[in-house]
Amino acid sequence: MLDLTFETPKPKVIAGAKHDWELVIGMEVHAQVASNAKLFSGASTRFGAEPNANVAFVDAAMPGMLPVINEFCVAQAVRTGLGLKAEINLWSAFDRKNYFYPDLPQGYQISQLYHPIVGEGEIIVDMGPGVARRVRIERIHLEQDAGKSIHDMDPAMSFVDLNRTGVALMEIVSRPDIRGPEEAAAYVTKLRQILRYLGTCDGNMQNGNLRADVNVSICLPGAYERFQETGDFSHLGTRCEIKNMNSMRFIQQAIEYEARRQIAIVEAGGEVVQETRLYDPDKGETRSMRSKEEAHDYRYFPDPDLLPLEIEQAWVDDIAASLPELPDAKKARFVLQMGLSEYDASVLTAEVQNADYFEAVAEGRDGKMAANWVINELFGRLKKDDRDIADSPVSPQQLGGIIDLIAKGDISGKIAKDLFEIVYTEGGDPAQIVEARGMKQVTDTGAIEAAVDAIIAANPAQVEKAQQNPKLAGWFVGQVMKATGGKANPAAVNQIVSQKLGL
Amino acid sequence: MSIDLEKAAKVAKLARIKVEPDALPALAQEFNNILGFIEQLNEVDVEGIEPMTSVTPMRLKRREDIVSDGDQQAKVLANAPDAREGFFAVPKVVE
């Protein structure tokens, strides 16, 4: 596999009233496993169903119901682990995390505290061309999602929908390797990208299928390096956990606010209290969830309904063999083998559908030219219409056809843009359109010469000026292009104009 | 490890079981009896022995990723003290 080299970004520094401060951030991302059925029941995971329609008696915790694990969800967790270059634990086990809440009918969440299915891995978080942060993954475990409570339908009651109860989640836990709000958002972006490439989570943040808890603490410059050398957390400040954010923008805002709040406390001589906080996007601030603190005694114990989860290395190997090319490898290949800039490669690999489209266009053609057309013309046009690559009216074959016509010299770049617009709005084969509508570039020097002669003859004053100041030759080129409806080959026109004017 | 009244009250609260103060001493005593038995078990040397997870050697049963259950809103809600518009309705729990 190819690798791009990168430099490590500088940590974000926030100026307090007394000193400069740095941030230390660790994240726990909950990613909903893409599956048909739930983790331990045969109920559907489909979003948007009638309330309590996707509920098996296991999910509703009816007495005597027993969980049976969905093997595909296990495979998805393994696949995710392999995609994050993580170690896969062939032996893992499920534990009960006990707490009471109306949307958790079991009274406990089945999770994996002591023996998670996936161990240490890593994510390369891109911060711009040539700059990236290596963030270590501590673990990934499988667990059940809770249901959904709705508080605003009745003044005195909360309404509970168990459709989400028991849907499989992967909790992906990072080490405290993230050093600023932008890095935190970039981390989630990259993780989401990898999950979507793998097909293990759809990454839909709006529906809550990917949400993040962020642990934030502050420290003086230099303290983080001492922590890294020794592994001793006492070099770092006390952390607060901000729960359940489902937007990149909120993640950044919440971290920024939380860091400043902690700095103000410490600089005033106070102490940060370790607690769980909630970000309020309307007020732009985090606030304490004190009521959660008291209940934070989860009394974990091994779930007696479930045997340990034992998987075979051969099965893991089969999953490994089916992994797609992942974003880092694809980007490196686009840069190193196809000659793209890192920026263009990043744009094209952001979504695997974009990368696939680009590769279909670039097949047998110039990579850079294909990248320019896909990014500047196609993406620009799709964005204008708020359309997705999946319903692009221009197929890779059509766009490739346009590029071929330019490469052959049949049409100029300018005409190609007109042609693109025709193909985009009306469809059709580019070569046939060019033929049928007479858009072909005039490379016949005889025809161009005739046009140049006519313009020179009609404009003696301009000829004189241009002969004194050769820069004015451009005027003749423009006139010729106009006279030929933009179809004259610009290079040929330039040459002939210079020649005829005797420049 | 011994369970005092305060600990017994906390465990009861976490389990959402209402225990009247005059019942706490008996409860704490029961806990202590159970823990005493566990401590007795702890005397057995199990160093290097894998914990037994099943009486018979069994593999965790798996299911396929097929939707085979659900679509039974009425049955799911049948035992609910209160249900409205397809939801369980519970006393307001907003913080």
Side-chain angles (χ1 to χ4, degrees):
Chain A
M1 199 187 93
L2 299 166
D3 271 321
L4 294 173
T5 54
F6 56 83
E7 279 175 31
T8 302
K10 293 228 172 353
K12 162 114 177 172
V13 175
I14 296 182
K18 295 180 180 165
H19 329 265
D20 281 349
W21 295 90
E22 289 181 6
L23 281 64
V24 180
I25 299 161
M27 301 195 84
E28 292 165 20
V29 172
H30 290 89
Q32 182 179 322
V33 174
S35 67
N36 297 317
K38 294 182 179 181
L39 181 55
F40 293 114
S41 87
S44 170
T45 60
R46 196 169 62 82
F47 182 83
E50 282 282 295
N52 293 303
N54 297 344
V55 182
F57 290 142
V58 187
D59 309 318
M62 293 296 173
M65 302 309 296
L66 289 172
V68 180
I69 199 162
N70 180 337
E71 185 162 42
F72 181 69
C73 293
V74 178
Q76 290 286 61
V78 169
R79 195 173 166 79
T80 302
L82 292 169
L84 302 182
K85 297 182 197 127
E87 71 187 274
I88 305 300
N89 295 322
L90 299 180
W91 194 98
S92 66
F94 291 96
D95 305 293
R96 291 184 178 179
K97 177 181 181 178
N98 299 280
Y99 66 94
F100 282 97
Y101 205 71
D103 57 23
L104 186 81
Q106 287 170 151
Y108 57 85
Q109 176 192 35
I110 304 177
S111 181
Q112 297 189 300
L113 176 69
Y114 301 110
H115 301 284
I117 185 156
V118 177
E120 293 183 344
E122 66 171 37
I123 296 181
I124 306 298
V125 178
D126 310 294
M127 299 303 299
V131 184
R133 171 87 63 194
R134 186 187 305 273
V135 175
R136 293 167 301 159
I137 301 297
E138 185 178 317
R139 55 186 282 159
I140 303 175
H141 60 258
L142 276 169
E143 63 183 25
Q144 299 175 298
D145 204 348
K148 192 173 150 199
S149 299
I150 301 165
H151 303 294
D152 55 6
M153 283 176 69
D154 186 285
M157 313 291 277
S158 289
F159 285 15
V160 180
D161 175 8
L162 300 182
N163 282 349
R164 195 161 212 150
T165 307
V167 168
L169 298 179
M170 296 177 280
E171 179 169 329
I172 303 158
V173 183
S174 87
R175 298 267 181 201
D177 291 352
I178 302 165
R179 305 303 315 281
E182 297 79 13
E183 282 184 31
Y187 169 82
V188 178
T189 303
K190 185 62 177 281
L191 175 57
R192 180 177 178 276
Q193 181 191 24
I194 295 171
L195 294 173
R196 284 172 57 84
Y197 267 65
L198 292 166
T200 56
C201 170
D202 70 12
N204 187 329
M205 298 185 79
Q206 218 160 12
N207 289 356
N209 296 354
L210 191 79
R211 34 202 214 260
D213 299 344
V214 187
N215 284 289
V216 183
S217 68
I218 53 160
C219 67
L220 292 171
Y224 182 79
E225 286 70 21
R226 283 198 292 283
F227 157 72
Q228 274 198 317
E229 281 158 25
T230 59
D232 181 356
F233 277 90
S234 70
H235 292 294
L236 304 181
T238 304
R239 68 191 152 89
C240 287
E241 183 181 22
I242 315 165
K243 278 276 186 202
N244 226 9
M245 284 176 291
N246 65 346
S247 118
M248 308 291 182
R249 195 159 52 90
F250 294 165
I251 289 170
Q252 291 194 51
Q253 289 171 352
I255 294 171
E256 186 91 33
Y257 175 87
E258 180 59 21
R260 291 182 190 282
R261 185 188 73 89
Q262 293 181 14
I263 290 168
I265 292 173
V266 174
E267 290 196 339
E271 263 182 45
V272 175
V273 183
Q274 186 175 337
E275 62 180 355
T276 306
R277 299 180 69 85
L278 206 61
Y279 180 64
D280 182 340
D282 295 331
K283 291 186 184 149
E285 60 183 35
T286 63
R287 60 184 151 80
S288 178
M289 297 173 74
R290 274 179 228 290
S291 55
K292 274 248 164 166
E293 295 308 300
E294 198 184 336
H296 259 183
D297 188 345
Y298 291 129
R299 295 149 294 142
Y300 279 99
F301 64 89
D303 191 317
D305 286 342
L306 291 159
L307 286 165
L309 175 57
E310 291 177 86
I311 55 178
E312 290 74 39
Q313 185 60 48
W315 189 67
V316 174
D317 292 343
D318 283 349
I319 296 172
S322 75
L323 287 193
E325 184 183 35
L326 290 168
D328 288 337
K330 205 180 275 292
K331 189 169 109 179
R333 185 166 58 82
F334 285 4
V335 172
L336 300 173
Q337 289 186 350
M338 303 180 80
L340 305 195
S341 70
E342 206 181 316
Y343 177 82
D344 283 356
S346 294
V347 172
L348 290 168
T349 54
E351 296 284 349
V352 72
Q353 291 80 0
N354 292 350
D356 289 348
Y357 187 104
F358 161 72
E359 289 212 70
V361 175
E363 176 82 52
R365 304 190 175 93
D366 178 61
K368 272 189 184 165
M369 193 162 171
N372 281 337
W373 275 86
V374 171
I375 295 172
N376 299 326
E377 301 308 319
L378 181 69
F379 287 177
R381 191 66 181 80
L382 290 173
K383 197 171 176 189
K384 203 169 140 196
D385 283 357
D386 201 17
R387 283 169 104 147
D388 202 66
I389 189 87
D391 50 40
S392 164
V394 180
S395 72
Q397 290 68 33
Q398 287 171 311
L399 186 52
I402 296 173
I403 294 171
D404 288 343
L405 291 168
I406 306 168
K408 271 196 290 179
D410 280 0
I411 54 173
S412 66
K414 190 179 163 297
I415 292 284
K417 289 187 186 185
D418 297 340
L419 175 60
F420 174 83
E421 187 58 30
I422 294 169
V423 174
Y424 185 94
T425 47
E426 300 170 28
D429 174 54
Q432 280 172 8
I433 295 170
V434 164
E435 204 61 57
R437 305 196 186 189
M439 296 167 81
K440 244 190 180 160
Q441 186 159 250
V442 180
T443 41
D444 168 12
T445 43
I448 297 172
E449 278 185 35
V452 175
D453 285 340
I455 289 159
I456 286 178
N459 298 284
Q462 287 288 341
V463 172
E464 209 169 305
K465 279 190 208 163
Q467 277 163 348
Q468 278 158 23
N469 180 3
K471 277 184 193 161
L472 297 176
W475 182 83
F476 287 90
V477 175
Q479 291 300 309
V480 174
M481 295 306 284
K482 214 172 177 179
T484 56
K487 285 179 289 180
N489 180 320
V493 176
N494 267 319
Q495 203 201 338
I496 293 167
V497 165
S498 306
Q499 198 189 321
K500 297 258 173 193
L501 291 174
L503 302 176
Chain B
M1 178 173 172
S2 111
I3 301 285
D4 56 18
L5 296 189
E6 195 187 332
K7 194 118 199 162
K10 190 187 172 201
V11 171
K13 189 178 176 204
L14 285 171
R16 299 295 190 278
I17 295 172
K18 188 175 182 185
V19 180
E20 299 300 341
D22 59 358
L24 277 177
L27 182 69
Q29 186 53 47
E30 265 181 62
F31 277 138
N32 283 321
N33 291 346
I34 294 165
L35 289 174
F37 172 63
I38 303 280
E39 253 153 50
Q40 209 178 329
L41 289 180
N42 275 343
E43 287 167 22
V44 183
D45 181 10
V46 289
E47 187 65 36
I49 299 173
E50 224 179 278
M52 187 178 75
T53 49
S54 171
V55 181
T56 51
M58 275 171 61
R59 184 175 182 261
L60 176 66
K61 207 172 151 49
R62 283 112 156 117
R63 72 164 71 238
E64 280 186 73
D65 186 33
I66 292 169
V67 176
S68 58
D69 211 336
D71 272 330
Q72 46 175 358
Q73 191 196 59
K75 283 186 184 172
V76 166
L77 296 171
N79 293 321
D82 192 0
R84 297 180 203 180
E85 293 171 60
F87 294 94
F88 290 91
V90 302
K92 198 137 193 132
V93 282
V94 82
E95 293 174 20

